[in-house]
Amino acid sequence: MPTRMLHSEQTALEALQLRLPDRFKHAKLADRPDIQDEIDNIGVEVTAGVRDDLRQLLVQEPTKQKRRALARMGIETHYRFNEKNDQRALASGALNDVASAVQRKSEKFEQYRHFNENNLFIHVMPDARAEVDGVLKQLADVPYDKIYLWDGHTMVEINVRTAVVKRY
């Protein structure tokens, strides 16, 4: 699985349009932020919330050495292959570092074009629901309006201003 699969702007756009079709029907890929909707005046920056020390291990071919390295971190991996070039890692353990992703993108916020609504979309591994409380604790310092966590199946929307959490 190439690195971009963990941090794909195209995948983020498709997820937003799948889960919130009316809201993101005019959205297009762009740069700074990665998704822009000129009509509804929404910008969405996209990033990965996977721990940096895991990202490279998870996107490469699963050798015994890599599995042992993950096991030393307390992470058990299981791989499935849907197609020859489509490898997905299924893992258990503390995989996400959403707090760092939010902080990193918040620090760069001024470098992006601003819209009436500015959101952050974070690709996460399947244990992301455990990250919601951590994100809620740091909302006072977040310049975004909404934060989306996407694990490939479930989307969690956190409204930064009201601290309301919705699952799609």
Side-chain angles (χ1 to χ4, degrees), residues 93-113:
L95 301 171
N96 297 306
D97 189 355
V98 172
S100 291
V102 171
Q103 180 182 355
R104 186 176 64 248
K105 289 299 182 174
S106 293
E107 289 170 358
K108 294 181 179 182
F109 181 75
E110 290 305 317
Q111 299 173 13
Y112 306 128
R113 178 178 171 202

Side-chain angles (χ1 to χ4, degrees), residues 66-84:
K66 290 181 186 111
R67 285 182 193 222
R68 279 191 225 116
L70 289 167
R72 283 192 298 275
M73 294 179 208
I75 297 160
E76 179 184 349
T77 56
H78 310 278
Y79 292 86
R80 71 170 187 258
F81 296 88
N82 296 329
E83 297 175 15
K84 191 173 185 176

Side-chain angles (χ1 to χ4, degrees), residues 91-154:
S92 60
L95 301 171
N96 297 306
D97 189 355
V98 172
S100 291
V102 171
Q103 180 182 355
R104 186 176 64 248
K105 289 299 182 174
S106 293
E107 289 170 358
K108 294 181 179 182
F109 181 75
E110 290 305 317
Q111 299 173 13
Y112 306 128
R113 178 178 171 202
H114 294 168
F115 290 82
N116 286 348
E117 183 177 310
N118 301 285
N119 302 324
L120 180 61
F121 183 103
I122 305 174
H123 289 280
V124 294
M125 295 300 282
D127 64 343
R129 281 176 233 135
E131 299 285 350
V132 173
D133 289 337
V135 172
L136 288 171
K137 288 176 186 171
Q138 68 182 49
L139 292 184
D141 300 325
V142 176
Y144 294 97
D145 297 300
K146 293 180 182 167
I147 297 174
Y148 296 99
L149 303 178
W150 173 251
D151 69 4
H153 301 287
T154 303

